Structures are given as structure tokens and as C-alpha cells.
Amino acid sequence: MKRKIIPYALVFILALLVPVQVYAIDFDINEVRIDAQLNADGTADVTERFTYEFDDDFNGITRSLIEKKGTAIENFSASENGKSLRVEMEDGLYKIYRSGEDGDTIQIELSYEIANAVEKFEDGAQFYWAFFDESNESEYGDMTIAVTPPLPAEDVAALGYEEAYGTERVTDDGAVIFELGYVPDGENANVRAIFEPELFPGAPAMEGTVRGELAKDQEQLENEAAAFAQNQQTAKNVGIPAIVIGGALLLSGIFLAWMRSIQRKRQIRKVPYEFFVPKESMSIPALLYFTNSVFLSPNAISAAILELMRKGNIRQLTEDHFELIHRKTDYVHEATLIELLFDRIGDGQEFTLQQVEEFTKNELNHAGYNDAIAEWNKGVSLEVKEKNYYEKHPDLRGAAGILGAIFIGLAIYTGIYQLSPWMAASIALALLAFGFAIGYTPITFEGHEIRHHWRKLKAAMQNLPAEQWERLTLNEKQRAYAYLLGSDPTTAERKVAAFTFAQTTADDSSFVMNPIFMTAVFVSAGSTTAASASSGTAGSGSGAGGGGGGSGAF
């Protein structure tokens, strides 16, 4: 019976968390034809034809064969279009050498003999075998297995187990055909055919009978199939409405939350916009994190340095040279950046951009540099979190988490009873529910205002008239340009001539150079350190009738 009793949904969720095995060769086995010709002496001559379609260059295919107790597999050979192929075997795994290229389709014929394949009892001689088992790691697109007696037979009984259940068909001359069709990987199947014992005079006789056992198995499988069908109908009656109702609740909740966010944004956008620099609500790196991207680029480091210069922590001596004025900072991440630049890269009081380049070119410093930048990012994230611009909604998120757990249970339930579309729907809804439960932290009205105003400022600065820029205070110019440099370096570079802070001020905190050079240094440093940081066998045989195996390629 074609049953999947493995909880597919659970397997699917685990697959998202556990790295999957990476196969060296990408291929499909489109068609498999297995012919088992039984002989009068109880042996079986087996011919297997595999049609492979490759999506990679390859060296050959593999076939694992597991012997049933009391049998032996002998005289294994392989050929293609009548031409013999080289075969190597180790521990039941045969490697057939036939190299080719991406896009090739080949048909390989395997031949071997099974000694003592037929068990002759008083009332019948049976061939009971598994040509593959759960150790098989390849899917078969279309499989057919034929079992042919030495002479035409009349009193034939046949039964397929697991993947082969219900696929058997007896021909007019007594051959048994098992038409399995598509076979997933990791599945078992046994084929069983019983013929008149007189057809096998050379096979050793065994005491007892066998047809009653097959009839008993058939009755049991039919009962299981009937129970499965009944349970499947129950699953439809219970599971499908539960999925539909739960899905409607989840989607409705998400839609309402989305509409609430849209309404807030519309309310803010209704106010006519005139260019201005928003009031100081957080540091420039935190603004970039909150309004632009949570993944702070190396450009944001330059923006953070400009911010420290604006606040008077740092003074720029030359284009390449910076001096520390004082260490008193407003935020932890500012102290972290000062420690990296002045204490680890510089001499404790000064640092140069050339020192940054030399420091990051040394691979021994890469881990320390990356750790410091990660700590700086963490500090920026902490500042944003402390501003409370995100709502929590624990009750709503908790309800979504409960719905996600329910959908996982429904996915397992419908998967067991082969309601594949509803299983897939349950998995999708579970992922959506868990994603909502984890990630739903809507921005407050004030947070939306901050985002809107700074994003509008960035857009406006692309074509900002010089007279509007000149009306800003020095503090506003410094904050606006630092934000532009961190969020849109292309526009910042284009506007550098108009926006360079070359004025000499009384507090000696002005910028005396083009910050684009400094940005290029940190982009290069980030690239260098990032590059450094980034720098089949046979199974045991699971078939009830014994035997097994699988297919692959190399």
C-alpha cells in the first residue's frame, strides 16, 4: 500500500534548520525496467535498464544490491548499447564507469544472477525480493518490475508491499508485472510472486506451505488499506475545515495589521513636505539602521566618524589624519568605534586612514576587526531598540505562535493520510504564522514620522538647490550630509563639491576634506576582512522479503 507514515511536515521544518546533504552530481532517473527471469533451478537472471538524465558532468552511475539471507548475487555486468562498461564493486556498491557531460541522457543495462532466488514450498515456489529499500537516495521517475517463470504458469499469486502495493498484474502466460510508476527516494518495496512448484524441478524443496501466508498478508494489507481510506476521509472532514478556518483567521489578522500600518503611513504622507532637517532624535548610525537598512554598510562607518566630529569627540587634522579630543560619548557604539580606530588601529590618541588600510591588510587582524564592527553594529541596534519605536503586541504574536503550532500538527496529520495539497498549505501557513509571531513589531506613529522625514530628505538632496542648502545651520548640514553619505553614497559623491564642509568655525569642528576618500578606505577594509572570513554506500536491507539497494551517480 502506498502509504507515507513519516510526518512530512516535521521533516520539512527540520530541513529548514539542518543543512542538507550536497550531492556532487545532479541527475534524474527517468525510467527503470527490471526483468527477473526465473529459471528451473531456482536462480534468477535479472536485467535492469536505467535511463539517466544528467545536469552535470559525470563519471558514471552506481547501483547498490543487498543480498537476501541464503542468496547470492553473482556475475554482475554493465553495458550500453551492447558495449561492456567497466565495473568496480565494494561492499555491495557497484560503480559503473561511463563518463559524460551536462545534458546527456544515457541508458545503462545491468545484468546479474541471483542464486537461490526461488524458495520452493509444498504448495508453491515464490520469488520474494526487494530491488530497492529505504537506503536508496534516488527517485525513480517510472519503474516497472517483471517476474517471469521458466514456463507459462496458470496458478499464480502475486502481491506487492509498501510502494509496490496494488501495482501487480498477472499476464496470460503467468508472468507478474509490477507497475510502480513514480517511486520516491527512501522508500521500501517488496515484490512477491508464487508459481506452481513443478516449474522449478532443480530448486531445493522446503517444508511447509506459502500461499496461505500470502493470502493472509493480502487480507491484512486490504484491511489496512480500508482503514487508511476511512481515516483519510476523516482527515478530510476534520483537517481541511480546520486548515481553512485557521488560515482565514491568520490571513485576516495579518491583513488588518497591514492595513493599520498603511493607514499610519497615509496619515503622515498627507502632510505637505517642505525640505528640512529633522530634529535630532538618535545618532546618525542609528538613523541609518532604522530608516535605511539593518545591515550597516562600510559607508555607515564614515557617517559615524562624521557624527563624532560633529559632536567634538574627534578632530580632523588632515585628509588622512584624525585626533581624539575626548572619550565622553552619548552611546556605547560610539565608544566602541573610538576604541577600534584609536586604540586598536591608532596609537591611542591619533589614527590615519593609511593605518586602517595597513591594519586590515594583515590577516591576523581580520577576526579582531570583524568582531569590533559586529560589536559596533550590536550597539547601534541596541540604541534603536531603546528608543521604543517598535510596538510589541505579545498577545497577538502569542496567538500567531499557537496557530503556527496547530498548523504543524495539521500538516503532520494530513501528510500521514496523503492529503498532499493540504499538507503543503498547512506548512505554508505554519511558516507564515511563525514568521508573524517572530517578526511582527509594527513601527509606532512617531517612528513612521522619523522614517518618512529622513527618507524624504535623502530624496530631496539629490536635486537640492544651493540656496536651500545654505539656509541650514552648520549642525543641520553636518547631520544631513552624514546621513546621505551612509544611505546613498552615490548621491553624496555627486554632491560633494556643493556640500563639502570647508567652512572654518569657531569650535574647530568643521570637516576639512572630501569624506568620499575615507568611505572608500572603509569599503575596501570591509571587503578585505569579509573575504578572509568567508574564505553513496549500500544499506542494511529493509525489505520484509529481504534484499534491497539503491541507485546513484558519481
Side-chain angles (χ1 to χ4, degrees):
M1 176 175 53
K2 292 193 172 184
R3 288 178 56 183
K4 306 287 186 270
I5 60 174
I6 300 174
Y8 289 105
L10 183 58
V11 173
F12 180 87
I13 297 300
L14 291 176
L16 298 176
L17 305 176
V18 180
V20 297
Q21 181 180 359
V22 179
Y23 293 95
I25 303 296
D26 189 8
F27 64 90
D28 292 311
I29 303 177
N30 297 329
E31 188 176 18
V32 182
R33 294 290 180 268
I34 300 177
D35 294 304
Q37 175 61 58
L38 307 184
N39 302 315
D41 61 358
T43 62
D45 294 323
V46 180
T47 301
E48 300 182 344
R49 296 177 183 84
F50 290 86
T51 301
Y52 276 74
E53 183 177 332
F54 288 91
D55 292 325
D56 288 307
D57 294 346
F58 60 97
N59 294 313
I61 70 169
T62 63
R63 178 72 165 109
S64 60
L65 293 172
I66 302 171
E67 299 172 348
K68 181 180 176 179
K69 186 177 180 180
T71 68
I73 294 174
E74 302 171 344
N75 303 321
F76 185 95
S77 64
S79 63
E80 181 183 17
N81 298 324
K83 181 181 178 181
S84 296
L85 301 174
R86 181 164 68 92
V87 176
E88 292 181 359
M89 190 274 281
E90 183 178 354
D91 297 330
L93 179 68
Y94 296 86
K95 298 180 72 175
I96 298 93
Y97 287 84
R98 195 292 196 190
S99 61
E101 300 178 348
D102 177 10
D104 284 356
T105 297
I106 65 173
Q107 186 178 81
I108 303 297
E109 182 173 296
L110 310 179
S111 300
Y112 55 92
E113 179 183 305
I114 305 175
N116 301 319
V118 176
E119 301 168 300
K120 186 170 73 171
F121 294 90
E122 295 172 5
D123 63 342
Q126 75 169 359
F127 177 76
Y128 191 6
W129 195 263
F131 288 98
F132 62 90
D133 69 346
E134 63 186 17
S135 68
N136 176 42
E137 297 179 345
S138 300
E139 299 177 349
Y140 297 130
D142 183 13
M143 171 174 277
T144 301
I145 301 172
V147 181
T148 306
L151 295 172
E154 296 181 357
D155 189 9
V156 181
L159 183 62
Y161 296 79
E162 297 193 49
E163 285 297 310
Y165 177 75
T167 66
E168 64 273 6
R169 173 174 60 85
V170 180
T171 66
D172 294 338
D173 60 359
V176 182
I177 311 296
F178 295 87
E179 298 171 324
L180 282 74
Y182 169 74
V183 178
D185 60 298
E187 297 296 333
N188 291 315
N190 290 268
V191 295
R192 191 175 190 179
I194 299 179
F195 308 95
E196 299 94 323
E198 295 79 15
L199 298 177
F200 302 90
M206 303 173 66
E207 294 182 356
T209 59
V210 70
R211 290 182 183 271
E213 180 183 328
L214 183 143
K216 182 179 179 181
D217 285 355
Q218 188 165 20
E219 182 180 2
Q220 179 181 346
L221 292 176
E222 288 174 352
N223 290 337
E224 288 178 358
F228 179 83
Q230 184 176 355
N231 291 335
Q232 186 182 57
Q233 186 59 47
T234 302
K236 290 180 181 179
N237 296 338
V238 174
I240 293 176
I243 294 170
V244 171
I245 294 172
L249 288 173
L250 176 64
L251 295 176
S252 297
I254 293 175
F255 177 76
L256 291 174
W258 177 72
M259 286 300 300
R260 183 167 177 263
S261 176
I262 292 295
Q263 288 172 356
R264 282 183 174 178
K265 292 179 182 179
R266 286 177 177 172
Q267 185 177 353
I268 294 169
R269 289 170 181 169
K270 285 181 180 178
V271 180
Y273 177 77
E274 293 184 7
F275 177 79
F276 73 101
V277 178
K279 65 180 181 179
E280 188 173 349
S281 58
M282 61 179 86
S283 69
I284 293 299
L287 275 173
L288 293 170
Y289 182 99
F290 183 64
T291 66
N292 189 63
S293 172
V294 297
F295 303 103
L296 295 177
S297 68
N299 304 309
I301 301 176
S302 295
I305 292 174
L306 297 189
E307 175 83 337
L308 290 172
M309 292 168 63
R310 179 183 68 85
K311 291 183 174 182
N313 294 91
I314 297 174
R315 180 168 59 193
Q316 186 177 9
L317 303 178
T318 67
E319 183 176 75
D320 179 66
H321 198 173
F322 298 83
E323 179 186 23
L324 179 63
I325 303 303
H326 68 83
R327 294 178 179 267
K328 185 179 179 181
T329 59
D330 297 323
Y331 304 104
V332 173
H333 61 83
E334 293 175 334
T336 301
L337 188 60
I338 288 174
E339 181 182 353
L340 171 64
L341 297 175
F342 289 94
D343 299 333
R344 302 191 67 168
I345 297 177
D347 61 5
Q349 190 60 37
E350 299 177 357
F351 87 92
T352 67
L353 296 180
Q354 182 179 355
Q355 287 176 322
V356 174
E357 291 181 313
E358 293 172 352
F359 184 87
T360 54
K361 283 180 180 178
N362 186 344
E363 290 190 12
L364 296 177
N365 296 326
H366 288 185
Y369 183 86
N370 288 329
D371 289 344
I373 294 300
E375 188 66 23
W376 175 71
N377 275 268
K378 183 179 177 181
V380 174
S381 172
L382 182 62
E383 180 192 344
V384 175
K385 184 178 180 180
E386 290 175 346
K387 295 298 181 180
N388 293 321
Y389 291 139
Y390 294 96
E391 298 175 354
K392 301 189 184 301
H393 294 288
D395 294 339
L396 185 58
R397 295 169 66 186
I402 293 172
L403 269 179
I406 292 173
F407 285 128
I408 288 294
L410 290 169
I412 295 172
Y413 183 45
T414 53
I416 289 173
Y417 294 107
Q418 291 189 322
L419 303 177
S420 300
W422 294 102
M423 178 191 71
S426 297
I427 292 173
L429 290 169
L431 293 175
L432 183 61
F434 284 132
F436 186 80
I438 294 171
Y440 181 61
T441 50
I443 300 173
T444 63
F445 184 84
E446 183 182 1
H448 275 300
E449 275 190 320
I450 292 172
R451 274 192 169 188
H452 177 72
H453 292 154
W454 280 100
R455 288 174 177 176
K456 279 289 189 179
L457 177 142
K458 181 175 71 172
M461 285 182 71
Q462 293 182 3
N463 299 291
L464 186 68
E467 58 271 17
Q468 279 190 280
W469 175 257
E470 294 302 328
R471 287 199 292 267
L472 300 177
T473 67
L474 178 61
N475 183 280
E476 290 174 331
K477 289 179 180 180
Q478 291 172 337
R479 287 195 299 119
Y481 188 77
Y483 180 82
L484 185 67
L485 183 66
S487 61
D488 189 1
T490 302
T491 300
E493 184 172 2
R494 191 170 66 247
K495 295 294 184 180
V496 67
F499 297 160
T500 295
F501 307 133
Q503 305 98 318
T504 301
T505 59
D507 62 0
D508 201 23
S509 64
S510 63
F511 306 110
V512 298
M513 67 89 177
N514 178 352
I516 300 303
F517 170 63
M518 177 171 62
T519 299
V521 170
F522 284 105
V523 169
S524 176
S527 300
T528 302
T529 55
S532 174
S534 61
S535 345
T537 58
S540 60
S542 302
S551 304
F554 64 97

